[in-house]
Amino acid sequence: MTEKISQAVIRRLPKYYKYIIEQEKKGVDKISSSQMSRDMGLNASQIRRDFNYFGGFGQQGYGYSVQKLKSEISKILGLNRTYNVIVIGAGKIGQALIGYENFLNEGFSVVGVFDNSSKVVGNVIEGKKVLAMEEIGKFLKNNTVDIGIICTPKDYAQQTADYLVSHGIKGIWNYAPVDVSVRKGVCVENIHLSESLHVLSYQMSLEE
Amino acid sequence: MTEKISQAVIRRLPKYYKYIIEQEKKGVDKISSSQMSRDMGLNASQIRRDFNYFGGFGQQGYGYSVQKLKSEISKILGLNRTYNVIVIGAGKIGQALIGYENFLNEGFSVVGVFDNSSKVVGNVIEGKKVLAMEEIGKFLKNNTVDIGIICTPKDYAQQTADYLVSHGIKGIWNYAPVDVSVRKGVCVENIHLSESLHVLSYQMSLEE
């Protein structure tokens, strides 16, 4: 697989994956790019082009096997394994993510929760005991952790990311309302809630 | 302003806006596209092209005025007005959003919170009393509401959207883990947390 695939294609893959999972649940066996196009609001030739980046997934004109698409896209997305996840910051966003029902279905397992407030440390959230921030280092020594979810206030986000990376974490999912940067070889996805809200206000202003 | 501007450009506008706000806070007066390019990791000619869609915002070679960029982009994003927002579903995601500190700074004001659980109705969250779902209709009759944030479980998301739209809501910000669709003239932004997580796992699988 090449790394030269555009961000736009990469960002469509999870959409395809979600769609395929829905089709599987409905008991659909085969799906054509034109059907996907109608259901997903994407151009059929774009779907075929996207799939061709990854080897095509099937013979054109015969439709795609839902099972094959699922297993291939899941492999590309790195979903054919499990990820141990810790949540840093047990505020409301953190708590919401700990209870995020889709996590477990998708192979992401919350193995630790950390906070620096003595009001929160020791509480149990969705069956997980909240540990003090000072315990992260020891925890990471004794447990394999793949991803750290940062749910701290804005001003602590970068230092939390730095700390996690210095302790060997290779993936950061950042919910603090500020982008964090990491060294090469570490992956980060910054969640931008306000950007989505601004796209909404933009669309609404066009309708007026 | 044309509506033919590509989604990719539109999705970059909030990033520019966020960046400009940061520059303003730092006391920066003028900013060049090459500086923006370095700071934001975008191509300078792409930034200039993006700005040209909206009339350019300044004279090339002299840098952009931070104040002008802020006021122009804010206008384009529809942020030169206020939005009254209601939150439907006062679970953890809903609660997190009600307390989302950036809301008020940006002109979005939570004016109502609704839930269908008798355990939650009557509770006060961030100074807002949670009302019963049955009260939405009456509430919308007596109050101007621009945006409904859907934080219901997946299976209630579409019917909630339909209900809000039938009561005149023109914007939906959907946090339920399923896309909702709305009639033409109504705007919707579906938040896809799991898609972002899958992009992260994809990136991580490339690093292995």
Side-chain angles (χ1 to χ4, degrees):
Chain A
M1 195 192 318
T2 167
E3 293 192 33
K4 295 283 180 190
I5 293 160
S6 82
Q7 278 293 320
V9 178
I10 293 163
R11 302 228 158 239
R12 280 195 293 274
L13 281 177
K15 291 187 201 292
Y16 293 132
Y17 184 71
K18 194 166 151 192
Y19 174 78
I20 291 299
I21 296 289
E22 280 161 18
Q23 298 310 304
E24 186 193 31
K25 275 186 197 151
K26 285 187 200 163
V28 175
D29 282 339
K30 279 203 166 243
I31 191 95
S32 65
S33 54
S34 55
Q35 184 63 48
M36 289 184 72
S37 163
R38 280 190 295 275
D39 293 344
M40 299 183 68
L42 292 170
N43 192 295
S45 66
Q46 179 169 62
I47 296 173
R48 289 193 296 269
R49 244 186 352 260
D50 285 353
F51 287 2
N52 279 336
Y53 280 112
F54 301 100
F57 301 151
Q59 206 176 342
Q60 209 176 322
Y62 291 86
Y64 300 103
S65 150
V66 167
Q67 279 311 316
K68 180 157 189 215
L69 273 185
K70 182 188 162 188
S71 96
E72 294 291 326
I73 297 180
S74 143
K75 218 183 294 169
I76 292 165
L77 288 175
L79 297 176
N80 56 340
R81 51 162 288 195
T82 58
Y83 294 85
N84 285 340
V85 173
I86 59 174
V87 174
I88 298 95
K92 279 172 184 159
I93 280 275
Q95 289 183 37
L97 290 170
I98 296 162
Y100 189 47
E101 54 169 308
N102 287 347
F103 262 146
L104 287 174
N105 306 335
E106 291 170 340
F108 299 86
S109 173
V110 177
V111 296
V113 181
F114 300 87
D115 202 283
N116 70 356
S117 158
S118 58
K119 283 184 199 153
V120 178
V121 172
N123 290 358
V124 176
I125 301 167
E126 305 276 339
K128 315 281 169 199
K129 192 171 172 188
V130 181
L131 305 176
M133 288 294 270
E134 303 84 68
E135 298 183 60
I136 290 189
K138 194 175 136 201
F139 188 90
L140 292 176
K141 242 180 233 162
N142 297 329
N143 297 273
T144 305
V145 177
D146 304 291
I147 295 173
I149 308 184
I150 299 180
C151 302
T152 64
K154 189 159 77 165
D155 293 342
Y156 295 93
Q158 185 62 54
Q159 70 192 63
T160 303
D162 293 343
Y163 186 78
L164 294 177
V165 170
S166 75
H167 283 77
I169 294 258
K170 290 292 171 52
I172 303 269
W173 205 24
N174 174 34
Y175 279 77
V178 60
D179 284 8
V180 299
S181 50
V182 290
R183 65 164 174 74
K184 213 175 163 313
V186 179
C187 304
V188 62
E189 268 283 298
N190 293 297
I191 290 279
H192 299 112
L193 298 182
S194 69
E195 288 182 18
S196 163
L197 185 60
H198 292 170
V199 170
L200 181 62
S201 61
Y202 169 79
Q203 310 280 11
M204 290 175 76
S205 72
L206 293 182
E207 294 289 342
E208 273 167 5
Chain B
M1 195 192 321
T2 166
E3 293 192 33
K4 294 285 181 190
I5 292 160
S6 82
Q7 277 294 319
V9 178
I10 293 164
R11 301 225 159 244
R12 279 194 293 273
L13 280 177
K15 291 186 201 293
Y16 294 132
Y17 184 71
K18 194 166 151 192
Y19 174 79
I20 291 300
I21 296 289
E22 280 161 18
Q23 298 310 305
E24 187 193 31
K25 277 188 195 150
K26 283 187 201 161
V28 175
D29 281 339
K30 278 201 168 248
I31 190 96
S32 65
S33 53
S34 55
Q35 184 64 47
M36 290 185 73
S37 162
R38 281 190 295 275
D39 293 344
M40 299 183 69
L42 291 170
N43 192 295
S45 66
Q46 178 167 64
I47 295 173
R48 290 193 295 270
R49 245 187 350 260
D50 286 353
F51 287 1
N52 280 335
Y53 280 112
F54 301 101
F57 300 150
Q59 207 176 341
Q60 209 174 319
Y62 292 85
Y64 300 103
S65 149
V66 167
Q67 280 310 316
K68 180 155 190 216
L69 273 185
K70 182 189 163 189
S71 97
E72 293 291 326
I73 297 181
S74 142
K75 217 184 296 169
I76 292 166
L77 288 175
L79 297 176
N80 56 341
R81 51 162 287 195
T82 57
Y83 294 85
N84 285 339
V85 173
I86 58 172
V87 174
I88 299 96
K92 282 175 181 156
I93 280 274
Q95 289 184 37
L97 290 169
I98 296 161
Y100 189 47
E101 55 169 306
N102 286 346
F103 263 145
L104 288 175
N105 305 336
E106 292 170 340
F108 299 86
S109 172
V110 177
V111 296
V113 180
F114 300 88
D115 201 284
N116 69 356
S117 158
S118 58
K119 283 183 200 154
V120 178
V121 171
N123 290 358
V124 176
I125 300 168
E126 305 276 339
K128 315 283 170 199
K129 191 170 173 189
V130 181
L131 304 176
M133 288 294 271
E134 303 83 67
E135 297 182 60
I136 289 189
K138 195 175 136 203
F139 187 91
L140 292 175
K141 240 179 237 163
N142 297 329
N143 297 273
T144 305
V145 177
D146 304 292
I147 294 173
I149 308 184
I150 298 180
C151 302
T152 66
K154 188 159 77 165
D155 293 342
Y156 294 94
Q158 185 62 53
Q159 70 192 63
T160 302
D162 293 343
Y163 186 78
L164 294 177
V165 170
S166 75
H167 282 77
I169 294 257
K170 290 291 171 51
I172 304 270
W173 206 25
N174 174 35
Y175 278 78
V178 60
D179 284 8
V180 299
S181 49
V182 290
R183 67 164 173 74
K184 211 172 164 319
V186 179
C187 303
V188 61
E189 268 282 299
N190 293 296
I191 290 279
H192 298 113
L193 299 182
S194 68
E195 288 181 18
S196 163
L197 186 60
H198 292 169
V199 170
L200 181 62
S201 59
Y202 169 78
Q203 310 280 13
M204 289 175 77
S205 71
L206 292 181
E207 294 289 343
E208 272 166 6

